Amino acid sequence: MSSRPLPGDPVSPALSPASIALMSLLALLVLITGSVAAASLPRAPEAPFRVLVYSGAARASQGTVHAGVEAVKGLGVRNGFGVEATDDPAVFNDTDLARFHTVVFNNTAAAADGAGALDGAGRAALRRYIRAGGGWVGLHDASAGTGGWDWYDGLVGAALDRRTPVQAGRIEVLDHAHPSTMTLPDLWERTEEWLGWRTDPTPTVHTLARIRVRDKITGLGAGMDHPWSWCRNYDGGRSWFTAGGHAPSAFQDDAFLRHLLGGIEWAAGARPGDCTATQSRSFQRTPLAAGGLFDPVDMAVAPDRRVFVARRTGELAVVDQRTMRVSTALDLAYSPEAVARAGGLSALALDPDFAENAWLYLLRSDTTGRRLFLSRFTADGPAVDPASERRLLVLPGRRSTAGGRPPPSGSLAFDQQGRLYVATGDVTPSDAPDARSDLRGSVLRITPQDDGTYTVPEGNLHRAGTSGARPEIYATGLRDPFRVTVDPSSGTPLAAATAPDGSAEYLRIAGASRVDGPYCAGDGAEAGAGAGCPRAGGAPPAVPVARGDVVAVSGSVYDYDPASLYRTKFPEYFDGKWLTYDPAGRHFTAHAFQRADQTFVDPRFGPVEAGGLQSVTELFGDMEWHRPVSAVLGPDGALYVVDSGLDGGTGRDGGNEGAGVFRIDHVGDGRLPGAGIAVDRDNGSAPLTVTFEGAGSGPAGRSRTAYAWDFDGDGGTDSTEANPSYTYRTEGRFTARLTVTGPEGTTAMAGQEITVGNTRPRITVHGPPDGGLFRPGDTLAFTVGVEDPEDGATSPVDCSRVRVRSEAGRAGPLRPLPGSPGCRGSMATVAGDASRSGAPRITVRYTDKGAPNAPALTGSTTLTVRRDLQEAEGFTATGGAHDGAVIGSRTHASGGRALTEIEDGDWISFDPVHLGGIRSVTVGASACGLGGTVSFRAGSPDGPLLGSLTVPGAGTGAGDVSPATALRDPGGSVRLYVVFTNSAWGSEDPDLFTVDLLRFHGPGAGRAGAGE
């Protein structure tokens, strides 16, 4: 190999992709107009781009290095780009680097010393090259140590931590739109030296492919994602990395060469490819409506981008994105008692031809809970006429919501052929003799007709005319299917439901079926296969594609439309992926399915079938949610989310904090202006002066932002100030709208409801304390105070208008509090499940009577109570000297998970916690490491000590242990820190221990069990 750049044809400095395109066009014109002259002067065309292959200080064998050089040269010859190769670091200067569009680090890193290492001048030149728009490609050992050069580690995306022995494994190809991975199979079997990373690069790069950790590769930890190839836009340039290329044989593999070619072409700017699709910062959330959306349950987006929101209380709200106005199109007027008893309004769908016929479908209960209606209504502009109802189906009522259980779910979804799927929602499986006619816990399939009736399509579970069977049933045996959606490409219904053991499962219903067991799944499923599961080719039409211990809700399957002009639609990466979300865990995931059947060489890997689960990736890691209840992809390719807030919320004036309708746009490396409104008040008697604040809007770090305010909703501009004030002199409800225009002319809008003539009630709750601990079966007593100027500050409160809701249990009747405008009551918490963990909230709401010219307003407040058993992984936050604990899978642990990677100084916290009535705490741990101390502190990791205990080390042979300590009550609600220490721990030592759970002892906040 030469120690200097290989000689090549003289070329001008590297050209931009736009210049390349212009030159190509000129060349085409010359070809067309002068073909005879060109034929008489044969000449090789100039290379469209040039690549530098650098192998200085390479750590791989000379055979591997040589194979890498020859492979890139061969790709250049076959694909028309120029290649030069060298191991001389002197090439890293501004003049030489300017001749190349991308630089390939061939199994070498920017080492700090040794032969071929980059000195300070060379490193500076590489950095200037990237900042000027250059490309970089890294192969395998390009991720090895660099002597602490953080910028280079950022260029690579990760730093090498460990290598495994060479062995077979499989790679999950996540991105089939990028040129480097579009031709690869879903599961790519390879024999590799697999690499592990010092820190997970997933949050900062776009992962193109990752190692299938379930293949149990020796030497590779299983507790985190293991990206294998990724790309990113970095510091002005483009970076692409693959962990492949460890041996000469890799460069003889056609699939790997195609992978490498696509990476080089993308890094050189010669082929397009999005490298922002999975990075959290690439998505921007815009609030479309905030506040006033109590009990939202479902949502649909119309072709004109109006957002319809169904509320369990019977209201159908409409958000107009052009005006930011929120209106009520329909009100079925369920009383709070009817909602609690029967479930109220539970599902919404728009007709596939909604733009022409304005039909929408609602699934709702009657007021008694005995029946469930599927009805079609017709929208007339901003309103829906109740008289337009056409009732298609009358179904049996669902189970009661008594005992603190959540209201029954339900879902509606159309397929591309106009067939409507109806998930009826019920937790009771149909195992009675009349199961074939039991519509509960089922997915129905019908075809609505124009006259308001329906027909039953062919292929349902029971043939029409079958004695004792309902032909509408498509799939049965489901336990509370929270959402049903349809894959637009395959027409396959997908659902998320509750499994028999209470965990969540994601179901792919490929045909009419009964799905209540045994649970059979493909290779990608995490569900255990039962004894009667059929083999490949004979699997039942409906199988779980994944299982988990969270509440799972089905979102949409993305159908990428390249012709869509919406500039911030989701990228092609998401095409065909199923977006799901977890309201309790507040995170979103993308499920990808196998596109074709595959078999593998290694006998450890069984065959996989098309349609099985291929991969699951988490999304929007930097977005915080309270409780998303509906998420759908709109016709514009954006994701719309309804967040119900903190169970009614604890916002100022009793508003439901965090509730609203949001739109998520893919912005890549750019940003939309953003628009947000803050007000000092949004309700009160006339005249009402409101101070608005919009100065926080606009692109981050940019000052050239224009503001236009319309306070009264008449379409005019009332102010162009950033933070204006306005006085409302007329009673009523108004939508103040802010339009923000950024420096590039992009705009964003925000709206704020203002009620004039009525004041929102203020709600207070006295006892149990916020963060108080209770045991399942305890009774929690409380009093509710209500202040409302219009209803009377001192007159008795109508306690029937006060609603108390909690997952912890069900409140009994509220009684007036003598001499005070409030009510007294109690809540019996759910008994019989002492193993349940968590921190349920208690939400209290009061809706006033409104005013003659102003609508009624609801005030609310929320407090948290905690069960005496707290799973350690349910912490509020973690941190410490070594980045905190990690949640790991442990089959023997409570809930199947425990805290791992606990090192000296790490901590977890729970907020809020009130230790009144608590005497002691027991820690369930495993003595599997060095051992150490567990300390309980108030307010901070070094706050007042409340108690401490010791967990022994593995050398004692203790195994699972349950040490306990007395706890001191710090008084009031605090953030409780659990701190793990052992001053003898060093970076080469094992972790201290694992922690499974915390169990608190004492009567706590409950009346029951006071004599413990």
Side-chain angles (χ1 to χ4, degrees), residues 332-420:
L332 300 174
Y334 288 102
S335 67
E337 292 80 9
V339 173
R341 178 173 56 248
L345 177 58
S346 58
L348 158 71
L350 303 183
D351 192 272
D353 296 322
F354 180 82
E356 289 74 37
N357 57 34
W359 291 339
L360 54 89
Y361 296 80
L362 300 179
L363 184 67
R364 61 191 182 90
S365 67
D366 65 5
T367 58
T368 66
R370 295 189 181 93
R371 295 183 299 174
L372 192 65
F373 302 138
L374 171 65
S375 298
R376 189 190 78 192
F377 292 83
T378 303
D380 183 8
V384 173
D385 183 3
S388 67
E389 180 180 12
R390 298 292 182 269
R391 196 166 291 173
L392 281 76
L393 272 173
V394 179
L395 310 174
R398 300 170 295 189
R399 52 109 171 114
S400 168
T401 62
R405 290 178 293 184
S409 63
S411 186
L412 304 173
F414 278 96
D415 65 12
Q416 300 292 82
Q417 300 182 44
R419 296 175 299 198
L420 178 61

Side-chain angles (χ1 to χ4, degrees), residues 952-999:
T956 65
D960 293 340
V961 295
S962 302
T965 180
L967 282 181
R968 181 171 60 86
D969 181 7
S973 298
V974 298
R975 180 185 286 262
L976 179 66
Y977 282 82
V978 186
V979 186
F980 313 110
T981 55
N982 186 334
S983 59
W985 180 87
S987 59
E988 302 302 320
D989 290 319
D991 301 333
L992 304 187
F993 38 71
T994 65
V995 177
D996 182 10
L997 55 85
L998 312 174
R999 185 180 292 277

